[in-house]
Amino acid sequence: MKRRSCQQCGDALQGRIDKKFCSDQCRFLFNNQKKRKAEVTIANVNQVLRRNRTILKGFNPVGKTTIRQSLLTKQQFSFDFYTHLYRTKNGMVYYFIYEYGYAFAADEKVVLVTWQPYMNHPVNKVMFRERFEEE
């Protein structure tokens, strides 16, 4: 008969035939390690989003301002991560990190804004649907 062992520590198992762990502690450790590995990507993305939000907040204390893109880059701002988009009626796209947003303007400039109540309209849903349909 094949010797059964704990999936966490390797100790011999006794009892039920479908038992996988020798104790609750080993079961908790095994599942916590498994979950931690799965959530590393989420934690890394959240870290980038928090850093980006802090940078935007620091450059935009009044609600709307324009700065050079190089200032954001020097602060290690990542343009690859954002939480949602907003498209204006004239087609300008704002990339938001929670309540702070930015849009690319002419001459390597970036317009910084904060989320406003009027931005809650169906255009946002259409924007996301269009983005996924293109892929």
Side-chain angles (χ1 to χ4, degrees):
M1 183 172 188
K2 183 179 174 185
R3 180 178 169 237
R4 298 177 307 127
S5 59
C6 176
Q7 289 184 7
Q8 176 62 28
C9 68
D11 285 353
L13 293 176
Q14 295 179 3
R16 292 183 7 208
I17 197 161
D18 62 343
K19 193 172 184 180
K20 297 178 182 180
F21 304 99
C22 63
S23 66
D24 285 339
Q25 183 179 4
C26 278
R27 182 172 50 89
F28 292 145
L29 286 171
F30 180 85
N31 289 323
N32 285 341
Q33 288 172 353
K34 184 176 162 185
K35 183 178 178 183
R36 196 173 307 124
K37 288 177 185 176
E39 293 192 3
V40 166
T41 301
I42 295 169
N44 290 340
V45 169
N46 283 336
Q47 183 179 16
V48 172
L49 288 172
R50 282 190 194 105
R51 184 179 65 232
N52 281 355
R53 182 187 177 277
T54 301
I55 293 167
L56 290 179
K57 183 180 178 183
F59 281 119
N60 188 16
V62 269
K64 185 173 183 179
T65 190
T66 303
I67 64 170
R68 295 209 171 273
Q69 187 174 340
S70 60
L71 289 173
L72 293 174
T73 306
K74 285 179 185 175
Q75 296 287 322
Q76 296 180 342
F77 186 87
S78 175
F79 292 96
D80 296 330
F81 296 92
Y82 50 89
T83 56
H84 58 287
L85 302 172
Y86 174 73
R87 184 183 298 178
T88 63
K89 291 178 182 178
N90 65 3
M92 190 169 189
V93 177
Y94 284 89
Y95 300 86
F96 276 86
I97 294 119
Y98 303 110
E99 74 274 29
Y100 296 99
Y102 63 92
F104 297 102
D107 300 326
E108 298 287 319
K109 291 186 180 176
V110 178
V111 178
L112 304 180
V113 296
T114 56
W115 185 260
Q116 301 297 317
Y118 70 84
M119 294 176 174
N120 290 327
H121 63 74
V123 172
N124 295 323
K125 294 175 185 167
V126 171
M127 178 65 183
F128 286 116
R129 189 170 44 246
E130 287 173 4
R131 185 173 145 227
F132 290 117
E133 287 174 357
E134 290 173 2
E135 293 175 355

